[in-house]
Amino acid sequence: MKIKRLSNSQSVWISAVVAIAALITQPWVNVLSWNKLAIEHGQWWRLATGVLVHANWLHCAINLIALAVITLLYAKLFSPWQWLTLIIALITISNTALLYFSHLSDYVGLSGLLHGLFVYALLKQFPRHKIESSLLLVATAIKLTLEYFHPAGLGDQKLLGMPVATAVHRTFVIVAIGLFILIKLAYAIKASFHRP
């Protein structure tokens, strides 16, 4: 059975559903945010729900606009199940990595996931759009490097009125690259078994 690709209108609907979920702000932030101490004390749902809550409405609006743009531009590269699986894998692996390998205490918002989706989509479309993908990957690498040396963010802390969790951006990007490489290797291994 062939899986149908997402149309742009379907992409918008998926973004809308995620957007409705992501509109959750106060008072749910205290219950749903990614919080290391709370997760270590058994509140495991926070590994998934931290991306759904935001510090304020401006934070939420900026993330949702970026989600809509990424979905409109790149969701057609994936089947609906691939898109959903990618989102779940990025959230699960990245948030677990942050739990065990970072000093981050808490974060909220979609920006890490957005960084991961964006980089994964650029890698996937690279064979057909080498120049565009290369330029955008380099720009993303420069942004992440600047964030590394300026952990408070690149002016967005003043705009949003909150600290920016730059480690989250880097973690989601690293996981996206790792997933892309693993999936490519899996397809290559599978193809090698089918050669005569």
Side-chain angles (χ1 to χ4, degrees), residues 72-103:
L72 284 170
L73 292 175
Y74 300 114
K76 58 185 173 264
L77 296 171
F78 309 94
S79 72
W81 290 112
Q82 288 171 331
W83 187 246
L84 182 62
T85 303
L86 177 60
I87 290 171
I88 292 170
L90 283 170
I91 291 170
T92 305
I93 297 167
S94 299
N95 283 338
T96 302
L98 286 165
L99 179 65
Y100 291 108
F101 302 111
S102 81
H103 299 292

Side-chain angles (χ1 to χ4, degrees), residues 118-136:
F118 183 62
V119 167
Y120 193 97
L122 290 175
L123 292 170
K124 183 161 174 107
Q125 76 164 8
F126 186 83
R128 287 173 295 194
H129 303 282
K130 287 182 175 68
I131 294 172
E132 172 192 327
S133 294
S134 297
L135 291 173
L136 290 170

